[in-house]
Amino acid sequence: MINRSMHYYQEVLWTEVGNYLEHVVLWWAACPLSERPSRSIQHLREWLNTFVPTGDVPSVISPALISLADALGVYVTSTLWDQCFQQTLVASRICGNQNTGQLFCRLIQELVSLCNLCEVTPDWILGAPISELPLVEQIPILHRLDHTIHTTRLWSINESRKMANNWNVRAFFTVTHNDVLNCLSHLNDLRLTNHTTSGEKAFLSEHVEVCALMRGKLVSEVEINKQKLKDSPRECVACLASICKVINLANLQMMFPPKALWKINRDDIPVKPSPYVAKYLDKMLTPVLQYTDNDVICNMILTLLCESWLDHIYNHKVKFSRFGAFQVLCDFAYVGIWIQECTFISKNMKIELTKNEVLRRCEGVGRLLLRYPGEKLKMVDPKLLKKSEAETLTYHQQMPAEMYVPNQEQWLELKAERQNRAFNSILG
C-alpha cells in the first residue's frame, strides 16, 4: 500500500515537473535555451527522443522528458519557421533574386523534417496509433507547412509571370522546372499515416479526438496545396505562351521590313533569307531551346512564333509582288534550316521541331502568294522522287503545303499583282 502511494505521488510530482520543465529550460535558467539558435534546441530535442527509449530512465521520469521534447518541438517550429519565412519573404520582394526558390525549398525541407519526427514515438518507428502521436506539436507544423506550400505556389506563378514579361527564359525555367520541382521532391518525403479508417477513435479522449480531427483536416489541406503546386508549372507555361505571342508581335513590329519592299518587281528569285528572320529566331526561340529540353514546350513556342509571323503579315495587309512572295517563302524555309544548323539542341529535338506542321503552314502561305485563284493543287507523286525519298515520304508530306493553310482565299488577296501562269509553272 505504501509503495503504491509512493508511486502515485511520484507520478503526480514528475507530471508537475514536466509541466514546468519547458519554462525552466527555455526561459528561467541562468542561460536559457531561448537565447540560442533554434537548431541547437532542435538538436537537444532529437537527443532526448533518442536517449529516452534507450537510456536507463525510470518509467516515472520518462513522461516528463518526453513532454519536454514535445514542448521543445513546438518552440522550434514557431521560431524556426518565423525566421526562415521572414527571410524568404524578404528575398521574394527583391526582383530577380535567384536565392528565393532555394529558401522556399529549405523552408519546406525543415517543416517536412519536423513533421516526420512527429510521426514516430520511442516505441514506434512509423505508423504509431494516433493516441501515441504528439498531436499538439504536429498541428502547428502542418498549419505552417500548408501555408508555406500555398505561398510557394503564389510566388512561383507571380515570379514566372514577371520573368515571362521580360522574356527572361532562363530565370523562368529556373523557377518552374527547378525550384518548384525541388520543393515537390521534399514534399514527397512527407510521411503522414492515414488514421481516417482507424477503429481506435471510440477509445480516444475528447481532447485527443479534437486534435485528431484537426490533424486530419490539415493533412487534407496540405495534400490539396501540394497538388496545386504540382500543377503550377503547367499554369506558368500557359502564361508564358500568352505573353510570347504579344512579345512576338512587338518584335515583328520593329523588325519586319517596310511594306514597300515586298512589292518590288524583280526578275530574279531570292535565295537568301531576309536579315530580320535570324534576329527574330535568336531573340525568341534561342533562349527557350537553350534552357529547356522539353520538346512540347519548344514546339509550342515555335508554333506561336510562326503564327505571330503570319498574323503580323495578314493584319498589316502586306502586299506581295512575285519577287516579294519568293522572298517570304525563302524566309519561311530558313526556319527549318536554322533548326538543323542549331548547335545546342539534340538530334531528337531537331527532328521534333522540323516535324511541326506550322512550318508547312508557313510554306503554304508563301506558295499561295504565287498561285492563281482557283488553281488546282497537286499531291506530291512519290514516283517522281528517288527511292530513298519515296520510302520516307508520309501522307502529310505528300499533301501540298497550301492544304495546311486555312482561309486560303484571304491570303490570295495579299497578292500585289496577278502572276503569269508560265512563271508559276516553275513551282511544280
Side-chain angles (χ1 to χ4, degrees), residues 307-345:
E307 287 179 348
S308 301
W309 198 352
L310 297 176
D311 288 346
H312 178 85
I313 293 172
Y314 186 78
N315 292 337
H316 287 77
K317 301 300 180 184
V318 180
K319 297 289 185 177
F320 292 89
S321 64
R322 181 193 69 179
F323 179 83
F326 267 110
Q327 182 62 66
V328 79
L329 186 61
C330 183
D331 293 346
F332 288 145
Y334 179 68
V335 178
I337 298 173
W338 184 91
I339 291 172
Q340 291 296 338
E341 293 178 350
C342 193
T343 58
F344 47 80
I345 59 175

Side-chain angles (χ1 to χ4, degrees), residues 185-392:
S185 68
H186 293 311
L187 288 172
N188 289 334
D189 295 332
L190 187 62
R191 300 176 298 179
L192 292 170
T193 305
N194 183 6
H195 295 280
T196 55
T197 58
S198 177
E200 60 176 325
K201 288 189 175 181
F203 305 100
L204 299 179
S205 66
E206 184 175 348
H207 173 72
V208 174
E209 185 175 358
V210 170
C211 290
L213 291 173
M214 177 61 72
R215 174 189 179 276
K217 180 176 182 297
L218 288 170
V219 168
S220 175
E221 292 176 354
V222 166
E223 290 299 327
I224 292 173
N225 275 314
K226 177 183 174 181
Q227 184 59 46
K228 288 182 179 179
L229 181 62
K230 191 179 295 186
D231 296 336
S232 64
R234 193 181 304 114
E235 297 178 36
C236 296
V237 170
C239 176
L240 180 72
S242 63
I243 292 172
C244 177
K245 194 157 189 178
V246 176
I247 299 178
N248 286 339
L249 292 172
N251 280 296
L252 287 167
Q253 187 71 27
M254 296 182 290
M255 297 178 180
F256 201 76
K259 291 183 179 180
L261 292 180
W262 301 103
K263 294 192 290 185
I264 294 176
N265 287 308
R266 290 172 56 177
D267 293 332
D268 59 326
I269 297 177
V271 294
K272 293 183 178 181
S274 304
Y276 80 93
V277 182
K279 293 180 182 179
Y280 183 42
L281 294 172
D282 287 340
K283 187 172 183 62
M284 299 305 301
L285 189 57
T286 294
V288 178
L289 297 178
Q290 283 179 330
Y291 298 116
T292 181
D293 57 356
N294 187 312
D295 61 289
V296 175
I297 295 177
C298 292
N299 263 308
M300 178 194 70
I301 299 299
L302 176 61
T303 300
L304 292 169
L305 184 146
C306 292
E307 287 179 348
S308 301
W309 198 352
L310 297 176
D311 288 346
H312 178 85
I313 293 172
Y314 186 78
N315 292 337
H316 287 77
K317 301 300 180 184
V318 180
K319 297 289 185 177
F320 292 89
S321 64
R322 181 193 69 179
F323 179 83
F326 267 110
Q327 182 62 66
V328 79
L329 186 61
C330 183
D331 293 346
F332 288 145
Y334 179 68
V335 178
I337 298 173
W338 184 91
I339 291 172
Q340 291 296 338
E341 293 178 350
C342 193
T343 58
F344 47 80
I345 59 175
S346 65
K347 183 179 179 180
N348 289 335
M349 179 66 76
K350 292 179 181 180
I351 294 173
E352 292 297 325
L353 291 176
T354 51
K355 288 193 303 184
N356 195 319
E357 290 187 0
V358 76
L359 299 180
R360 295 280 283 164
R361 195 186 316 162
C362 290
E363 179 188 354
V365 167
R367 291 187 174 277
L368 278 172
L369 296 172
L370 291 164
R371 294 193 178 273
Y372 286 103
E375 184 179 350
K376 292 183 179 180
L377 304 176
K378 296 181 180 180
M379 301 288 281
V380 177
D381 190 355
K383 295 180 181 179
L384 301 179
L385 302 174
K386 297 179 181 178
K387 183 178 179 181
S388 59
E389 294 176 345
E391 289 175 351
T392 59

Side-chain angles (χ1 to χ4, degrees), residues 30-136:
C31 297
L33 287 181
S34 58
E35 295 180 353
R36 296 175 176 269
S38 298
R39 284 185 175 80
S40 66
I41 301 175
Q42 175 65 10
H43 294 327
L44 174 59
R45 173 178 175 249
E46 293 174 354
W47 179 83
L48 285 172
N49 286 332
T50 304
F51 171 74
V52 171
T54 58
D56 187 14
V57 181
S59 59
V60 70
I61 301 177
S62 178
L65 296 179
I66 294 175
S67 176
L68 174 61
D70 294 344
L72 293 177
V74 174
Y75 177 82
V76 169
T77 299
S78 59
T79 56
L80 188 61
W81 184 83
D82 288 348
Q83 179 185 3
C84 293
F85 195 71
Q86 182 185 33
Q87 291 176 351
T88 305
L89 285 183
V90 170
S92 67
R93 296 296 186 269
I94 303 174
C95 184
N97 190 336
Q98 299 180 355
N99 295 326
T100 307
Q102 298 175 10
L103 292 173
F104 272 113
C105 291
R106 192 181 309 160
L107 180 56
I108 290 177
Q109 184 181 21
E110 293 279 6
L111 290 170
V112 168
S113 176
L114 290 172
C115 189
N116 287 343
L117 289 174
C118 295
E119 286 292 309
V120 299
T121 68
D123 300 322
W124 300 81
I125 297 177
L126 189 64
I130 196 166
S131 57
E132 299 291 331
L133 296 179
L135 298 178
V136 175

